[in-house]
Amino acid sequence: PELTLIYPSGRKREAVVQISGTRAEITSLIPFVRYSYTVVACNSFGCSNMSDVSNTIRTDPAAPDQEPTNCVAITTSATSIIVSWVAPDPPNGIIEDYRLVYGPTAAVAD
């Protein structure tokens, strides 16, 4: 059977999988993305019509592939700073929290 994966953006990625049964495992998908599929049965005489589009299913989340970027710190007083950054893209799931590690560095002459 021929499997067609439909990405959330509407782009299609077709994968032809040679299987003799009625189930297949699709691997190397993007974490925390919704997928749906259609199936076409083929033999040496041709192929059937496409099945209805399946239910939509989301892959499990995974750790972010990229680190936060554009880290910037600004001084707000003699004893405080504000730190900001851009979230990883893609996050591969919902970012639940950030962990900020900080400490004094060696003195640098201005």
Side-chain angles (χ1 to χ4, degrees), residues 1-86:
E2 183 177 297
L3 305 174
T4 301
L5 306 177
I6 303 173
Y7 283 74
S9 64
R11 295 176 305 161
K12 290 184 179 180
R13 176 181 169 199
E14 294 187 7
V16 177
V17 181
Q18 302 256 343
I19 57 173
S20 59
T22 56
R23 94 183 245 188
E25 179 179 7
I26 308 299
T27 60
S28 300
L29 299 175
I30 300 168
F32 208 65
V33 169
R34 295 180 201 277
Y35 291 90
S36 58
Y37 62 89
T38 61
V39 179
V40 175
C42 300
N43 63 24
S44 58
F45 297 99
C47 295
S48 69
N49 290 328
M50 201 176 300
S51 70
D52 291 336
V53 175
S54 71
N55 59 308
T56 300
I57 189 165
R58 182 184 301 205
T59 51
D60 291 337
D65 290 332
Q66 303 294 319
E67 65 278 353
T69 58
N70 298 331
C71 296
V72 176
I74 58 170
T75 302
T76 57
S77 74
T79 59
S80 65
I81 62 173
I82 293 176
V83 180
S84 64
W85 56 89
V86 174

